[in-house]
Amino acid sequence: MLFTLAGGTRWLPQAFATTEHDKAQASLAPTALPTAYSVDSTDKVRNICFSDDMAEALEQDQKNIEQRIADLRDEEIQVQNRKLELDQQAEDLKAIQVELDQKWQKMSETANQDIQHLAQMYGAMKPDQAASIFNQMDPGFAAGFLRLIPSDQAGLIMANMQSDKAYIVSVKLASQNKDVREALANP
């Protein structure tokens, strides 16, 4: 109610106040519209009536909003910095992965060369000597070596092995790449 009365007292006297000049103008031009009043919009605080408490609360709200905006900007900067850090870490991890892949490839090649060399050594041995070693091996391991040795030499080694061990090794050899053979047979 107080704001209504205060606002009304600002425009009421001006709206009803007339001068002799205004009356003369009105009699000369009866169809003329009333003169518009302009309000200085540069100082909006003075044009609105607030109590001291209300103005103080609005000012505090404005400060809180400005602080929250500043906080959000700081958080955004922190998020961007964290994103840059994570991007850098991802690049570092990719580089490490490439290095590990290269080392793994080299180790695999070295291990394969060692196995090939050992298979060549078994192939160069007399079949009965190699058979005695293969009898002591795990059948899967022995099958892997026999696969790398030329077929004629591998056959002589298996012929000199214990018959039950030779049978198990034969089954292991036959089951190697079984899934590939089945896939080719049933396209």
Side-chain angles (χ1 to χ4, degrees), residues 55-147:
E56 193 174 300
L58 284 173
E59 185 177 335
Q60 185 61 41
D61 285 348
Q62 182 66 29
K63 286 179 182 178
N64 290 343
I65 290 170
E66 290 171 359
Q67 182 62 44
R68 183 65 182 141
I69 289 171
D71 291 345
L72 288 173
R73 284 185 185 138
D74 289 344
E75 287 178 24
E76 184 177 351
I77 290 170
Q78 289 174 355
V79 166
Q80 288 175 352
N81 287 340
R82 183 66 179 146
K83 184 182 180 302
L84 291 174
E85 288 174 11
L86 290 174
D87 289 345
Q88 182 61 45
Q89 287 176 353
E91 290 296 320
D92 292 347
L93 287 174
K94 285 179 185 177
I96 291 170
Q97 183 64 44
V98 167
E99 184 179 340
L100 284 174
D101 289 344
Q102 290 172 349
K103 285 183 179 182
W104 180 257
Q105 182 67 30
K106 186 175 180 180
M107 287 174 32
S108 295
E109 289 171 3
T110 302
N112 287 337
Q113 289 172 356
D114 291 344
I115 297 292
Q116 285 288 346
H117 179 70
L118 195 54
Q120 287 174 354
M121 285 177 22
Y122 287 135
M125 292 174 74
K126 293 182 181 179
D128 59 332
Q129 291 174 332
S132 66
I133 295 172
F134 277 78
N135 282 328
Q136 296 176 14
M137 286 184 192
D138 174 70
F141 193 65
F145 274 117
L146 288 172
R147 183 79 177 100

Side-chain angles (χ1 to χ4, degrees), residues 24-40:
Q25 289 284 344
S27 65
L28 291 176
T31 59
L33 296 175
T35 308
Y37 294 98
S38 65
V39 177
D40 181 15

Side-chain angles (χ1 to χ4, degrees), residues 6 24 36 47 55 89 127 160 175 178:
N47 292 330
Q89 287 176 353
N160 286 295
S175 66
K178 179 181 174 184

Side-chain angles (χ1 to χ4, degrees), residues 12-65:
L12 258 169
Q14 294 172 353
F16 293 114
T18 57
T19 63
E20 290 300 321
H21 177 68
D22 291 339
K23 289 180 185 177
Q25 289 284 344
S27 65
L28 291 176
T31 59
L33 296 175
T35 308
Y37 294 98
S38 65
V39 177
D40 181 15
S41 62
T42 58
D43 191 5
K44 292 183 180 179
V45 174
R46 289 187 181 172
N47 292 330
I48 300 173
C49 294
F50 290 118
S51 66
D52 289 341
D53 292 339
M54 180 66 87
E56 193 174 300
L58 284 173
E59 185 177 335
Q60 185 61 41
D61 285 348
Q62 182 66 29
K63 286 179 182 178
N64 290 343
I65 290 170

